[in-house]
Amino acid sequence: MLRCDILAVIPELLEGPFQHSILKRAQQKGLMEVHVHDLRDWGQGKHRQIDDYQYGGGAGMVLMVEPLWRAITDLQQKTTYDEIIYLTPDGKTLNQSMANALSLRGNLLLVCGHYKGIDERIREHLITMEISIGDYVLSGGELAAAVLVDALGRLIPGVLNNETSALEDSFQDDLLSHPVYTRPEEFNGWEVPAVLMSGHERKIREWREDQALARTQARRPDLLSS
Ligand code: ADE
């Protein structure tokens, strides 16, 4: 069972992503739980304030230490987290081996930043891991959290059936996937490679391996050198 608690500034952004297809099935099967929390519930004062100007000046608001501290320690009363993950462009870039490892952990708390980020003291004292989903800046951590939960959910044993096994994904063996085709056999004069229609299992396997390797060499040679 993988439990993901997500502490969000805009929880509405996370209403859709877990309600469909594979992640929906994972939750229905009791293999995964996703709980979205609104940071503002721990905000201060009448306006439930969660952000403020940064010391030293400069544009952009910073998520305040107290609401984050109250939210995280409150959630910790109910759940012992294996990792408290802050989604941030300056975190470690997510890759498949990180996803594999994290999908085996029991309870994760994902903290979404916004604006200029979160008060550094939270990162120093409460956050145990920082993850980026790529070298670009999103307007907040929610969509990054959705990406992470999606990548983890599909790896939980029992979530995918054998046909769609995650073990055959791109990156699982440091190779990109081979090309795939479905009906019809010919469209606009564009034909499916004959080997796939041959029924010859070994030849098909070899063709797929060759294609995966060639594609990786052409598009992502960095994967082969590591
Ligand atoms: N928040 C803003 N940009 C992000 C990124 N690239 N990855 C993770 N969290 C983020």
Side-chain angles (χ1 to χ4, degrees):
M1 224 309 265
L2 178 68
R3 178 187 169 114
C4 297
D5 286 72
I6 308 178
L7 189 55
V9 175
I10 309 183
E12 292 80 3
L13 286 174
L14 294 166
E15 273 168 16
F18 315 120
Q19 307 306 324
H20 305 279
S21 183
I22 288 166
L23 294 195
K24 178 181 177 184
R25 192 148 30 93
Q27 293 170 89
Q28 284 171 341
K29 283 185 175 173
L31 298 170
M32 180 168 83
E33 276 181 27
V34 183
H35 302 274
V36 179
H37 309 275
D38 187 348
L39 178 62
R40 215 166 274 283
D41 290 346
W42 290 274
Q44 36 206 32
K46 193 166 79 207
H47 300 293
R48 305 201 294 156
Q49 186 184 0
I50 54 171
D51 60 345
D52 210 338
Y53 296 102
Q54 56 179 315
Y55 280 128
M61 306 294 272
V62 174
L63 294 182
M64 302 164 78
V65 69
E66 297 104 315
L68 282 166
W69 186 84
R70 279 198 296 267
I72 294 170
T73 52
D74 245 16
L75 292 169
Q76 281 177 319
Q77 298 295 310
K78 277 171 265 157
T79 310
T80 304
Y81 295 104
D82 298 297
E83 300 286 354
I84 301 180
I85 301 172
Y86 175 45
L87 284 310
T88 171
D90 49 23
K92 188 160 185 250
T93 310
L94 182 64
N95 60 26
Q96 193 63 48
S97 65
M98 284 161 71
N100 290 346
L102 278 173
S103 72
L104 302 172
R105 312 308 304 265
N107 302 319
L108 303 176
L109 174 55
L110 311 185
V111 178
C112 305
H114 253 264
Y115 321 111
K116 273 284 159 202
I118 66 176
D119 192 295
E120 187 67 19
R121 289 166 289 188
I122 293 292
R123 297 173 71 165
E124 271 173 37
H125 299 287
L126 294 180
I127 299 295
T128 63
M129 191 178 213
E130 301 193 331
I131 294 181
S132 164
I133 63 158
D135 289 341
Y136 43 83
V137 181
L138 302 168
S139 55
E142 286 85 356
L143 297 181
V147 166
L148 178 60
V149 171
D150 187 295
L152 302 186
R154 58 193 299 290
L155 293 170
I156 302 168
V159 169
L160 297 185
N161 53 33
N162 279 338
E163 285 157 63
T164 51
S165 165
L167 294 175
E168 294 190 7
D169 289 341
S170 279
F171 298 112
Q172 276 304 3
D173 47 10
D174 284 332
L175 289 180
L176 301 182
S177 286
H178 55 76
V180 294
Y181 299 85
T182 185
R183 292 188 304 153
E185 206 177 318
E186 185 253 272
F187 175 76
N188 269 354
W190 306 334
E191 286 178 4
V192 173
V195 61
L196 296 179
M197 316 304 295
S198 70
H200 195 305
E201 267 184 49
R202 183 176 55 79
K203 282 195 179 147
I204 292 173
R205 194 174 57 246
E206 284 170 3
W207 180 85
R208 286 178 169 163
E209 286 166 4
D210 289 349
Q211 292 285 319
L213 192 58
R215 188 165 268 200
T216 310
Q217 255 151 4
R219 299 184 183 191
R220 293 293 306 276
D222 56 299
L223 291 177
L224 296 171
S225 56
S226 60

